[in-house]
Amino acid sequence: MKTLLVGFKKYATHLTNPSEEVLSSFLGKKNVQTLLLEASYEKSKRTLEKAIEKDRPDLIVVLNLSPYQAIPALEQYAYNQMDSMQPDETGVVKKGEEIFPGEAKSLSTSFDLSSLHQSCCSAEKDCSVSVDGGRFFDNEAYYIALRSGVPSLMLHLPLEGDFPVEEDVDLISLLVGLAEKNLPA
């Protein structure tokens, strides 16, 4: 069983991105590959596609900052659309462009997020379930992950001041373990 954890470098006015900090906690862990992506539509797309093809993971977990969340949020859907008010790190702003023209408007994780959420709550790990994580470069990464056919999850992480990175690491460790035991057929 090989898990690919995907995070992003800091961007915009944020001094840190908890996903980058979380990845460092998993470096060297058995059966876990980490991939830190640029906060860029095009660069992250190419890098992630190459990593999936090269590493052939059994599970992909996409992580990124959502400054609007008070607790981590599992995302149900990825959307085949890029739409942002602020530019990525290369200055690119996307307005309604499809990631893969003519393909499905949205893709859903094959995991039962309600069940994962309930298991997390039972283990006293805070998280929520969301159906719309936006249309920024992390949505693009989640769409690519789901499109690859590899069972995938996305988790938006709050600002470190709102939710400690150590708790993010504990939650992600739990989620990876649960996901690995419940890989969809």
Side-chain angles (χ1 to χ4, degrees), residues 93-164:
V93 174
K94 299 284 185 168
K95 290 294 178 193
E97 294 176 44
E98 289 183 316
I99 300 165
F100 295 99
E103 293 193 15
K105 291 190 183 299
S106 65
L107 297 174
S108 177
T109 183
S110 51
F111 287 100
D112 179 349
L113 294 189
S114 295
S115 177
L116 286 177
H117 178 252
Q118 187 173 16
S119 294
C120 290
C121 290
S122 294
E124 299 183 356
K125 301 295 178 202
D126 284 334
C127 71
S128 63
V129 175
S130 169
V131 296
D132 194 333
R135 307 294 186 279
F136 211 30
F137 49 78
D138 51 345
N139 169 72
E140 178 185 55
Y142 192 32
Y143 194 92
I144 291 166
L146 291 170
R147 181 180 183 262
S148 74
V150 175
S152 301
L153 291 168
M154 180 171 176
L155 187 67
H156 269 123
L157 306 172
L159 292 165
E160 187 173 354
D162 296 332
F163 200 88

Side-chain angles (χ1 to χ4, degrees), residues 6 12 15-16 30 35 37 55 66-67 84 86 92 103 113 132 135 137 155 165 168:
V6 179
L15 300 177
T16 62
K30 186 177 179 186
L35 179 63
L37 298 175
D55 297 333
S66 176
S84 59
Q86 81 186 84
V92 173
E103 293 193 15
L113 294 189
D132 194 333
R135 307 294 186 279
F137 49 78
L155 187 67
V165 170
D168 287 333

Side-chain angles (χ1 to χ4, degrees), residues 15-87:
L15 300 177
T16 62
N17 185 333
S19 72
E20 181 175 5
E21 295 177 50
V22 164
L23 289 185
S24 65
S25 297
F26 288 91
L27 289 174
K29 290 226 177 173
K30 186 177 179 186
N31 299 325
V32 176
Q33 297 276 67
T34 60
L35 179 63
L36 183 62
L37 298 175
E38 298 286 329
S40 157
Y41 288 105
E42 193 57 39
K43 288 179 186 178
S44 62
K45 180 180 180 181
R46 283 192 317 265
T47 303
L48 180 57
E49 287 175 329
K50 286 178 186 175
I52 292 170
E53 185 178 326
K54 177 182 168 258
D55 297 333
R56 304 220 180 267
D58 301 299
L59 172 67
I60 301 170
V61 181
V62 178
L63 309 166
N64 198 23
L65 167 67
S66 176
Y68 311 110
Q69 300 287 341
I71 61 174
L74 286 162
E75 298 296 343
Q76 181 72 49
Y77 298 101
Y79 298 90
N80 188 16
Q81 185 183 49
M82 300 172 288
D83 196 50
S84 59
M85 294 185 324
Q86 81 186 84

